[in-house]
Amino acid sequence: MKKPGGAEKKKVRRSQSLQSNTDTPRKQAAPKDVFQAFAEKARDHKDLVSRWAVLQETRVEYFRGKDFVSFVRNHLELKDILESDRSLEAEDIANILLKKNLLVRCGRVVKTVRPGKKKLSTFPAHLEIYHDQVFSENDAFFAWTFVKRRPLWQTLLSFCWPILTLAICLFPVYPHQVKLLILYSCAGLLLLILCLLLLRGLVFGALWILLGKRFWLFPNILAEEATLKELFQFWPQKDEGERPKWTARLFYAIAGVVVISILRHHAPDEAARARYQKRVSNIIDDVLEWSPSLALSGMIEKQPVVNITEPIDNVTDSKSSDEKLFSSGDLDDETISNEEVTENTEDSDHHQNI
């Protein structure tokens, strides 16, 4: 007879094994870090003012402490990502991000006011790690430590760079009309950039010399870390620097007049400008009119004409015989000319003796 207790033990073991199998996936699935998600969301948000700087020879994106506090207070919906910790204040959230190494507190490398400035720059270009990793609003900067996720359009754009490089290399084989379109477009864009930079310099120099004001049109046009909106900002911000002295303004005004007069005195004349223009136009015409068919026809014309019916040995033999005849003819001419010279010298000596 079978014992009823054995069957019950087997059932208990099976049930325990099933429970353990169902519990293991739950234990293996790591819980999602809500603070990591909050950091990614805050970093991608456009209202959190951030800049780029150099931290220990590494470019990092950073923000100010007071900007982070105002950002969290104005966007309370982001706290819903923290779930049970949504009631935390901005300072507490920042301290947790620091403990999880999602942020690092930084300080200024240059702590003194530069000459001509009244205060330190709002966003410094060089940072160093601060010794006390605690959140603060007073002149404190915090840099993101995790790698930002690349958007889809940047990934697609990275695949377009090789295609663009290949298209640039194949410019000589384009049709003539396409070459003209590309040439005039690039020349117009380059001329626009040069005129814009020249206009900025003239306006700044005139206002700085006459009024002592620092006024830059398109102030962020040469900035490296500016966004697209800031790049095309037309009107500059308020001048915070100290007004320059009148002696410096007078010196630069005299220097400008001297430089302009020297350049005008040594400017090329009309003939030199015409020659230079003709040379440049010839170079451009050679680039635009080049085509593979012309290159191949030129290569064919340079090749020597060989009679196909004759074997190669006969051709080489005929070339060698012609060279021999040519060399022997040259030798005969040289011997004849030498004999004539000796005869002439003998005749002259005979006449002298007479």
Side-chain angles (χ1 to χ4, degrees), residues 46-194:
K46 62 180 181 179
D47 291 340
L48 181 59
V49 182
S50 61
R51 294 290 187 275
W52 288 86
V54 178
L55 175 64
Q56 294 180 351
E57 300 181 357
T58 305
R59 285 173 54 84
V60 294
E61 186 180 6
Y62 73 98
F63 56 88
R64 299 184 299 176
K66 58 182 180 181
D67 292 337
F68 181 77
V69 173
S70 61
F71 169 75
V72 174
R73 289 175 181 173
N74 295 330
H75 298 84
L76 297 176
E77 68 276 2
L78 292 178
K79 286 187 176 182
D80 297 335
I81 301 174
L82 301 177
E83 297 176 356
S84 60
D85 296 325
R86 64 171 59 93
S87 60
L88 295 175
E89 296 295 332
E91 294 83 357
D92 300 330
I93 296 173
N95 285 323
I96 294 174
L97 294 177
L98 288 169
K99 291 179 181 179
K100 290 181 174 290
N101 293 326
L102 297 172
L103 286 177
V104 60
R105 183 176 175 179
C106 306
R108 300 174 182 269
V109 175
V110 181
K111 300 178 177 62
T112 57
V113 181
R114 290 183 295 178
K117 298 290 183 180
K118 295 181 179 179
K119 60 180 183 179
L120 295 171
S121 59
T122 306
F123 290 95
H126 297 273
L127 299 173
E128 61 183 2
I129 297 177
Y130 197 72
H131 59 86
D132 191 8
Q133 293 295 315
V134 180
F135 182 79
S136 176
E137 297 184 35
N138 300 324
D139 198 29
F141 307 97
F142 300 89
W144 301 106
T145 57
F146 60 91
V147 180
K148 188 177 181 180
R149 291 183 179 179
R150 181 178 295 179
L152 180 60
W153 67 271
Q154 289 185 0
T155 305
L156 296 177
L157 186 62
S158 62
F159 288 103
C160 296
W161 287 119
I163 299 175
L164 180 61
T165 305
L166 182 62
I168 294 172
C169 296
L170 294 177
F171 175 79
V173 299
Y174 287 170
H176 185 72
Q177 298 297 330
V178 178
K179 288 181 180 179
L180 288 177
L181 178 63
I182 295 173
L183 177 65
Y184 290 136
S185 300
C186 295
L189 182 60
L190 182 61
L191 183 63
L192 177 63
I193 294 172
L194 294 177

